[in-house]
Amino acid sequence: MQGPSAARGRPLSFRHGRSHLWASDVSRLIVASNRTATPGADRSGGLAVALADALTERGGGVWFGWSGEVLDHGSRGVRIFADGDIDFVLADLTRDEHAGYYLGYANDTLWPVFHYRVDLAHFDEAAFEVYAAVNRRFAGLLFQQLRRDDIVWIHDYHFLLFGHELRNNGWRGPIGFFLHIPFPPPEVLAALPQHQRLARALADCDLIGFQTKRDVGNFTRYMTEEHGAEAGEDGHLRAFGRKLRVEAFPIGIDPAEFARLADGAEAREAAGRLGRLIENRALVIGVDRMDYSKGLPQRLEAFGRLLDEHEGLRGRVSLLQIAPPSRENVHAYRELREELDRLAGRVNGDHSDLDWVPIRYLARGYPREQLAGLYRLARVGLVTPLHDGMNLVAKEYVAAQQPEDPGVLILSEFAGAAERMEAALLVNPHDIGGVAGAIRHALEMSLEERIERWQALDAEVRRNDVARWRRSFLDALDTVRAPA
Ligand code: ADQ
């Protein structure tokens, strides 16, 4: 263990008696993700709760990730502490690593390419080398904590080389990998200069999980066309001399918890405040991280088109768009922010009246307790990403509705969620007129049709909830045989 310090709770070495353990007692789950849900951080997000529960359900485990700290100089060891059943192992990044690995290759290359935006990607070999070095260093740090019977679950595009680096350290136990974002078609991925290295590295995992069948199809086609992999009928691929299981595990939320939030005092208070402002007008809501994958300019344009073309709706409907900036230091996000300001200004300039503003655009986040109330107040949930791995906002909107008077979900056909939520009004987010038409349709929809569509959506959100996601992934991982 390199320079561990116990920040909170008991240090691992006390708990297990030693730091590098090969003696086997129980099979622990080891989660590796760029960010973790450390004590004190916001754990209310679906993913944070899901992974914490997964660790607890298996009688405890380790959660490895970046501490969130960026160091100018100093220690490159790990901080280790226990919180309940979970042992956190956190590593810092140096400033150069943060620039090359996180802001650079992960967010400025992989994120755009995997969201089909090759035009926005920066291809910087030096950034890739830093990304590879961080995956190598992090895997080395985690390896020191592993015991022979552990199972490892790696998350997302930050850690595409992590499994391979664990193998390089000598790890032979099972490795699962889950990609939260879309996997693009081979024609798009081929633009990435390092795609072959990434594919070879991924093949060192035993189970690779994607959000949708579309992603599984893209990955299978990529591996067979580019790397001569053989696809078996049982969901297995033979590639690079290894056998991998490849499957879709659609991520979900905890719908009962979200419905409870929507009934809570904070939700009612938030809805009450907004309700007084919009009075009896219909509310259309959008909630997204401010990201070019979310289709925000197209969405504002569609709302503008609706008002341009339907005089009767002016003064009768408002759009509330909540979009906190996520990575403002990256050029594309600054441009996006400026474009949204311009578009909202155009629509509001053209259509506002003394007592009505068509678009309320708030560049900040809100706690889930309040969001739940706003979702419930909204007659229409507008979820129109250009591409999205799944999109949990669509599921949260559904879970927050009142069964006897539910709102209407408008959903992009390019969100992973659309694969199983056909009862939404499915739209092509690039088709401005089509989205404007869907908003109008939603506003005019009969109560009977709203209820019928919502019941189908609610059943799906409950069926494929977050507990099912993690259990089905872990069950599949339990069945893969560790390589000899
Ligand atoms: P994200 O791109 O962040 O996640 P999404 O799944 O919609 O996309 O949202 C994650 C969470 O953030 C939701 O719980 C939502 O409530 C919250 N959130 C979003 N905007 C917010 C705002 N303005 N204020 C407060 N909270 C906000 C990535 C992938 C997705 C995939 C998830 C999970 O990009 O496709 O669904 O991981 O796998």
Side-chain angles (χ1 to χ4, degrees):
M1 201 187 315
Q2 295 173 22
S5 66
R8 270 178 209 240
R10 292 157 297 153
L12 257 190
S13 47
F14 286 8
R15 180 178 182 142
H16 299 301
R18 57 203 185 282
S19 58
H20 188 158
L21 297 158
W22 282 97
S24 122
D25 34 84
V26 280
S27 154
R28 303 175 307 170
L29 175 62
I30 314 295
V31 171
S33 55
N34 178 63
R35 296 309 297 266
T36 66
T38 45
D42 180 12
R43 273 200 195 188
S44 56
L47 189 59
V49 172
L51 294 177
D53 285 356
L55 289 159
T56 302
E57 260 175 16
R58 297 183 80 99
V62 172
W63 197 341
F64 174 86
W66 173 35
S67 64
E69 299 286 327
V70 179
L71 303 180
D72 284 320
H73 326 275
S75 148
R76 287 156 60 90
V78 284
R79 199 151 50 93
I80 302 179
F81 56 91
D83 180 57
D85 295 327
I86 304 173
D87 294 325
F88 285 91
V89 179
L90 304 181
D92 304 324
L93 290 174
T94 66
R95 193 151 304 282
D96 286 350
E97 287 175 336
H98 183 246
Y101 150 77
Y102 183 72
L103 296 177
Y105 199 73
N107 285 326
D108 223 7
T109 308
L110 293 174
W111 177 273
V113 172
F114 279 57
H115 286 86
Y116 301 58
R117 293 299 302 270
V118 176
D119 59 316
L120 292 179
H122 289 94
F123 298 108
D124 176 356
E125 270 177 52
F128 173 72
E129 291 307 329
V130 179
Y131 175 88
V134 169
N135 271 253
R136 194 175 312 125
R137 183 168 77 81
F138 277 11
L141 291 171
L142 178 61
F143 179 69
Q144 294 178 52
Q145 306 299 327
L146 295 180
R147 303 182 204 170
R148 195 176 50 223
D149 291 335
D150 288 344
I151 67 166
V152 177
W153 188 4
I154 300 166
H155 289 262
D156 228 2
Y157 63 102
H158 309 90
F159 284 172
L160 294 174
L161 302 173
F162 202 107
H164 172 70
E165 295 297 347
L166 280 179
R167 297 282 186 231
N168 280 346
N169 275 281
W171 175 248
R172 296 181 170 214
I175 301 180
F177 176 87
F178 185 80
L179 187 69
H180 290 260
I181 64 176
F183 192 88
E187 296 75 10
V188 174
L189 192 62
L192 194 62
Q194 299 82 15
H195 68 90
Q196 286 167 334
R197 269 181 79 177
L198 297 174
R200 188 178 287 272
L202 270 181
D204 270 336
C205 300
D206 302 299
L207 170 65
I208 303 184
F210 296 97
Q211 300 275 23
T212 66
K213 293 196 179 90
R214 183 186 334 221
D215 301 313
V216 169
N218 285 342
F219 180 75
T220 305
R221 197 157 71 79
Y222 169 76
M223 291 300 262
T224 49
E225 289 176 8
E226 288 276 342
H227 302 289
E230 284 170 42
E233 278 171 14
D234 52 355
H236 283 87
L237 271 184
R238 281 195 180 279
F240 301 109
R242 297 192 81 256
K243 186 177 174 194
L244 351 166
R245 181 164 170 184
V246 178
E247 204 172 323
F249 301 93
I251 198 166
I253 61 167
D254 179 347
E257 155 79 2
F258 219 82
R260 195 182 56 70
L261 288 183
D263 272 329
E266 278 186 72
R268 281 204 302 275
E269 208 264 333
R273 272 172 64 199
L274 181 64
R276 280 192 292 281
L277 212 67
I278 61 170
E279 294 178 327
N280 53 359
R281 299 181 181 99
L283 177 68
V284 177
I285 195 166
V287 175
D288 308 77
R289 281 185 306 102
M290 191 185 291
D291 189 283
Y292 47 79
S293 66
K294 302 293 182 183
L296 295 169
Q298 291 83 348
R299 192 180 305 172
L300 297 194
E301 274 186 49
F303 193 74
R305 176 84 63 94
L306 178 79
L307 298 178
D308 291 343
E309 293 183 353
H310 299 284
E311 210 174 320
L313 285 175
R314 294 183 204 150
R316 289 183 44 214
V317 55
S318 296
L319 169 65
L320 174 67
Q321 177 61 55
I322 298 178
S326 47
R327 308 173 190 121
E328 274 183 312
N329 43 353
V330 181
H331 186 59
Y333 294 92
R334 270 201 306 275
E335 280 182 5
L336 175 62
R337 173 77 195 259
E338 281 163 17
E339 190 179 3
L340 295 179
D341 288 346
R342 188 175 54 73
L343 284 167
R346 197 288 283 173
V347 177
N348 286 343
D350 281 358
H351 296 296
S352 290
D353 210 333
L354 292 175
D355 59 350
W356 172 64
V357 179
I359 297 180
R360 235 163 246 288
Y361 151 52
L362 306 173
R364 51 164 287 193
Y366 283 84
R368 301 163 63 73
E369 291 75 9
Q370 296 184 16
L371 280 185
L374 303 179
Y375 288 142
R376 179 170 285 190
L377 183 68
R379 169 50 52 90
V380 181
L382 198 48
V383 182
T384 55
L386 306 182
H387 278 288
D388 215 331
M390 177 57 60
N391 194 296
L392 296 179
V393 170
K395 299 192 174 189
E396 292 169 358
Y397 177 76
V398 168
Q401 298 308 303
Q402 277 174 310
E404 64 282 4
D405 186 20
V408 180
L409 177 66
I410 297 178
L411 181 59
S412 162
E413 60 184 285
F414 305 123
E419 203 165 272
R420 291 164 191 258
M421 295 178 83
E422 306 96 333
L425 294 182
L426 294 182
V427 293
N428 171 355
H430 300 281
D431 176 5
I432 305 299
V435 175
I439 301 172
R440 183 154 176 243
H441 178 184
L443 291 170
E444 291 171 354
M445 192 180 284
S446 68
L447 177 63
E448 193 186 6
E449 184 178 347
R450 279 193 279 128
I451 290 177
E452 197 177 315
R453 285 178 181 272
W454 176 80
Q455 284 176 345
L457 292 171
D458 188 55
E460 164 56 25
V461 171
R462 286 175 190 280
R463 188 167 45 243
N464 278 304
D465 68 356
V466 72
R468 179 166 178 168
W469 169 74
R470 67 162 191 267
R471 285 187 189 136
S472 53
F473 187 94
L474 290 173
D475 285 351
L477 187 53
D478 280 335
T479 64
V480 300
R481 223 157 46 84

